[in-house]
Amino acid sequence: MDHLPIRKVYADNAATTAVSEEVLSAMLPFFKEVYGNPSSLYALGQEAKAPLEEARATVAECLGAKPNEIYFTSCGSESDNWAIKGAARAMRKKQGKDHIITSAFEHHAVLHTCQALEKEGFSVTYLPVHADGVVCVEELEAAITDKTALVTIMYANNEIGTIQPIPEIGEICKKHGVLFHTDAVQAVGNLHIDVKAQNIDMLSLSGHKIHAPKGVGALYLRAGVSIENFMDGGAQERGRRAGTENVAEIVGLATAIRRATDTIDERVARLTPMRDKLIEGVLKIPRSRLNGSQKRRLPGNVSFCFQGVEGESLLLLLDMKGISASSGSACTSGSLDPSHVLLSIGLPHEVAHGSLRISFGDYNTMEDVDYILEVLPQIIERLRNMSPLWDAIQMGKVSYDQYM
Amino acid sequence: MAYSEKVMDHFANPRNVGEMEDFSGVGEVGNPKCGDIMRMYIKVEGDIITDVSFMTFGCGAAIATSSMATELIKGKPISEALKLTNKAVMEALDGLPPVKVHCSVLAEQAIKAAVSDYYKRQGIDPEPIVGAIPACEECGCEI
């Protein structure tokens, strides 16, 4: 494999993306020229205020919301924390409701937030997930009680790319008068989101997944939803999230989301054949599997498992070949357990350890797919050749074929 | 988490990797549920480990510690190999991230398991010499 020239392939767009030229140039004036505080009355401040409100209107329009329903935050995790904790506490205070429904394979920003609320006395139902990576919606309605304050289900899963039945969940929540929050960090720019039509009360998004910088996110909060303030202080963000606005990055976020949502159809049309070619090629590797439904998935997000191979060593060897990807193995998570997402879809630890996520974005090409398909099988073979587990699998001492 | 250059070198160019046909002893530690298995082969002549090889399923640190451990015991008397601690393996690799310490423990245990097997094949009870090899120490997972 050493004869191959190394190609740089960034295939971890679900982790973060590069800031685009368009976003960067939109932001630049706000660092040195239009640096005023938007809360200041003089011209320099008001010069910053106008683009801030334009950005709010842009984000609102991209989601089918009104400008006064958009709150800028520092990241997707902040939006998740604020929406879930803020709304749950307000519901308990006002209506005595203290039950939350979520799913077993949410992002940690949601799961750990729910666990923190359990310590405050809330009860939480973690809905199971089907083997194809879709939340068991049929169990959602049955889980709703007169104590249910809030349902929080992600729009699309970050680790395996599967798309959740959001409009359906929104309808169920509306019918029962339960608040519905969705973490749409991975969905923005890939799926058509309309918070009104889809009955979404709260939605979290992040800038750096769509070519805006790290450090900016937004929360859509439907007008009329009660929520505790996130940060006390000044009157910024309608008095609910104090702190001088990060004008440059907010403008960057608005520029990015405008581009991302205007080009959804082109993106889907371009990335889907790349994704499908990758899936087809990778599944030729013996004893490999695709995690989650093949069809019901984001256009650029794929997750695989390979028997007899451990994910971290796979990533390190890919990196040596210029390919940046990620894994849900225990060794990459810094804990002893492999990804809760892979376990939630019914995989045993032994299989989940050998996972690989490839996520494509606007800067990837079909040549990247070809390069991955050339390099990956050789790396798998190299690791399997030194793997006592692969040895045992081949000798029939253990079998995981039922999961393939 | 970042690996030292030595860890990356032993991961990328593992020494003494592969199966051994005419081994005198073979030991395997770890388990697939935890995500790492090490198998160590030794060839013993007289009292000397004349050859050693390994096969490892695991992360970068697991492969690097296996490789380094084989280097540290190759050509050494059994008694010396048994004295090799996980700490010595780590030091030889210029350290490991804290979450990876258990990989070095596995390497130490793999050597002990191979030596135990060698003694068993010789009709000698290994327990008084090698001691007990704890199952999955440091890992703490429930199997």
Side-chain angles (χ1 to χ4, degrees), chain A residues 312-313 336 353 382 386 391, chain B residues 3 12 33 39 56 58 60 100:
Chain A
E312 189 206 87
S313 29
L336 295 170
H353 283 303
R382 173 176 165 169
M386 66 162 92
D391 197 32
Chain B
Y3 286 134
K33 195 171 176 187
R39 186 190 292 169
T56 290
K100 302 292 187 180

Side-chain angles (χ1 to χ4, degrees), chain B residues 3-15:
Chain B
Y3 286 134
S4 69
E5 273 180 40
K6 269 198 184 157
V7 172
M8 286 310 291
D9 175 37
H10 276 263
F11 166 72
N13 311 293
R15 280 60 146 180

Side-chain angles (χ1 to χ4, degrees), chain A residues 162-280:
Chain A
T162 50
I163 300 162
Q164 306 308 308
I166 293 304
E168 204 180 329
I169 296 170
E171 204 161 302
I172 294 170
C173 291
K174 190 186 177 190
K175 186 173 129 192
H176 292 272
V178 174
L179 287 178
F180 176 38
H181 166 256
T182 185
D183 176 332
V185 165
Q186 299 290 337
V188 174
N190 287 311
L191 300 167
H192 292 282
I193 298 174
D194 185 328
V195 291
K196 302 295 172 199
Q198 296 165 355
N199 292 308
I200 297 166
D201 296 307
M202 297 183 283
L203 178 144
S204 302
L205 63 90
S206 168
H208 74 106
K209 313 287 189 187
I210 53 171
H211 303 289
K214 295 149 191 74
V216 65
L219 174 65
Y220 152 75
L221 180 68
R222 183 174 58 74
V225 173
S226 292
I227 194 165
E228 281 191 351
N229 291 349
F230 181 75
M231 202 142 45
D232 296 310
Q236 294 90 354
E237 302 302 298
R238 298 164 66 86
R240 287 171 159 168
R241 186 196 186 272
T244 302
E245 300 89 342
N246 183 0
V247 181
E249 293 206 9
I250 288 168
V251 169
L253 171 66
T255 310
I257 198 171
R258 164 59 69 210
R259 169 54 60 105
T261 51
D262 282 355
T263 53
I264 290 176
D265 296 333
E266 292 97 301
R267 184 170 300 103
V268 171
R270 204 178 71 84
L271 292 182
T272 305
M274 289 166 55
R275 177 197 76 186
D276 291 343
K277 185 177 182 183
L278 183 75
I279 293 173
E280 198 193 332

